[in-house]
Amino acid sequence: MSLSSEEIRRQWHGAQLAPLWESPNAHKALEDRVPSHIWRWSEMRPLIELAFQETSPAAVQRRVLQMLSPKATSIADEHTCGSVLAAFQCLLPGETARPHRHTMNALRFMLEGSGVVTLVDGKECPMAYGDLVLTPGMTWHEHRHDGDVPVVWLDVLDVPLHMHLGSAIFQPGPIDPPPVTMPDAAFASPNIVPCVTFGRNDHSPVFRYPYADAVRALASAPVSPDGLRRVRYANPLTGRNALPLLDCGMVQIDANVQSLPQRTNANLLVAVVEGEGASVVGDQVIRWSARDVFTVPQHHWAQHQAVGGDARLFVVSDADIYRRLNLLTEDVQAASASGKKQS
């Protein structure tokens, strides 16, 4: 006597088995794309101010407001876009955030204020507007605010990847023994690097990338196929990414230029550094200005336009993960087709 389909499935379920042909994901093209989202600075800054009254770094490891994906269903869904998690971190004058380290790679991009210093493996990295500071996985890092105004910066980490892999490790201070690092001056001359180096070799020996340097590089950067000027932050010893697994770059949109649509299977987080403009991401139109942060989730066609002058965007993506897996795809739509509706 044959079993009913209901009984068959009951037995499969009891044995932790499931029929692939009934899976909602199997053998199907991607349908439910994640929408873009923008965190407007004019709306975020008052909400960040509330964090100052809610807690302090003395009470918690970090005073941080995480930026969650529109697809997040709870505070435990710690992802902003793909394998990227972004957050606002803030300090008041005189505050410090004690040292710790973790396997997750992280970066800090300065948004407001001055006088704060991030110490990475003991090396002091002053933070001014538009500066990028790296804290690669398992480097000790702490923050000290010596200024007289509140400061806010953007944190970006590859937390979702480590949560998926089960590789997230956190270790509080104290720092013992102190790590070996090299001064940034050893790498300050373009195209010349020391023959002998000290410390770890699995990440950039430079932790601080000043905004002024990125602006100078953009001024001489050629136009990319999509019409934008692009530079990337690199490890001076290898020429590879400054930070493993997270691509970091700066984009300049020349005044009144509209880029050609571009699409990738990587996920992008964009922070507006200077200027105003608009981006079309899929079928969404996002108007932005300085300090706004928005996402370009994978598989969406995206194009950008500056209004009234040049605009600069800081861009972080998880493209390096796809590149290492030989899965990265990047497409630019031809100018003749760019006026057609994207899907």
Side-chain angles (χ1 to χ4, degrees):
M1 178 179 180
S2 62
L3 298 176
S4 67
S5 292
E6 180 180 356
E7 175 60 20
I8 290 171
R9 279 151 183 77
R10 187 191 69 77
Q11 291 190 25
W12 283 344
H13 180 75
Q16 296 301 115
L17 296 172
L20 175 64
W21 62 90
E22 294 182 1
S23 167
N25 304 314
H27 311 137
K28 296 179 181 178
L30 178 69
E31 296 178 358
D32 188 18
R33 295 179 180 174
V34 177
S36 177
H37 187 79
I38 184 168
W39 289 263
R40 300 187 188 281
W41 183 252
S42 60
E43 300 170 359
M44 295 301 105
R45 187 58 182 84
L47 299 177
I48 294 170
E49 190 69 25
L50 298 176
F52 289 126
Q53 72 180 47
E54 277 297 294
T55 191
S56 74
V60 295
Q61 281 285 340
R62 298 290 188 264
R63 186 196 282 119
V64 166
L65 290 174
Q66 298 184 113
M67 304 157 75
L68 301 184
S69 164
K71 291 290 187 179
T73 59
S74 75
I75 194 173
D77 291 337
E78 296 182 73
H79 69 279
T80 306
C81 189
S83 295
V84 176
L85 172 66
F88 295 112
Q89 185 167 173
C90 52
L91 286 178
L92 291 171
E95 289 185 332
T96 60
R98 55 191 181 271
H100 67 214
R101 64 179 181 174
H102 39 68
T103 48
M104 290 75 76
N105 293 291
L107 63 86
R108 326 291 166 182
F109 190 81
M110 194 66 176
L111 295 177
E112 181 187 274
S114 61
V116 66
V117 174
T118 292
L119 290 88
V120 186
D121 276 350
K123 186 193 297 190
E124 291 197 355
C125 301
M127 297 169 67
Y129 183 72
D131 287 355
L132 170 66
V133 173
L134 308 179
T135 54
M138 293 309 286
T139 55
W140 292 102
H141 51 281
E142 55 189 300
H143 311 290
R144 186 186 72 231
H145 189 9
D146 300 328
D148 54 11
V149 295
V151 294
V152 183
W153 65 83
L154 178 70
D155 281 341
V156 184
L157 306 91
D158 54 8
V159 166
L161 176 66
H162 288 275
M163 296 297 287
H164 178 72
L165 295 176
S167 56
I169 297 174
F170 173 83
Q171 182 181 356
I175 304 173
D176 185 32
V180 176
T181 60
M182 295 185 65
D184 286 358
F187 309 96
S189 299
N191 307 315
I192 301 174
V193 296
C195 293
V196 177
T197 58
F198 303 103
R200 288 172 54 180
N201 60 10
D202 59 339
H203 57 68
S204 173
V206 174
F207 300 135
R208 177 176 179 262
Y209 293 75
Y211 178 47
D213 291 352
V215 173
R216 280 193 293 271
L218 281 168
S220 301
V223 175
S224 298
D226 64 350
L228 305 181
R229 301 183 190 276
R230 284 188 169 84
V231 296
R232 64 184 180 89
Y233 297 86
N235 180 334
L237 290 178
T238 65
R240 299 191 186 98
N241 288 348
L243 193 64
L245 305 183
L246 291 174
D247 283 17
C248 303
M250 186 79 71
V251 172
Q252 179 168 304
I253 311 171
D254 293 340
N256 301 314
V257 165
Q258 184 177 46
S259 69
L260 294 176
Q262 185 180 42
R263 178 176 63 180
T264 175
N265 60 350
N267 298 274
L268 282 62
L269 181 89
V270 182
V272 183
V273 190
E274 289 191 49
E276 298 182 355
S279 297
V280 180
V281 182
D283 58 1
Q284 297 174 265
V285 177
I286 298 173
R287 306 190 187 280
W288 41 258
S289 58
R291 297 183 175 87
D292 289 349
V293 179
F294 65 94
T295 59
V296 181
Q298 63 179 172
H299 304 301
H300 285 295
W301 286 104
Q303 59 186 139
H304 314 281
Q305 182 172 18
V307 176
D310 296 345
R312 298 190 186 99
L313 312 176
F314 174 68
V315 182
V316 185
S317 83
D318 55 9
D320 194 37
I321 298 171
Y322 294 88
R323 187 180 299 115
R324 290 171 184 245
L325 295 172
N326 199 30
L327 294 173
L328 182 64
T329 61
E330 295 175 308
D331 302 299
V332 176
Q333 193 173 89
S336 61
S338 62
K340 297 180 181 179
K341 180 177 174 60
Q342 309 305 322
S343 61

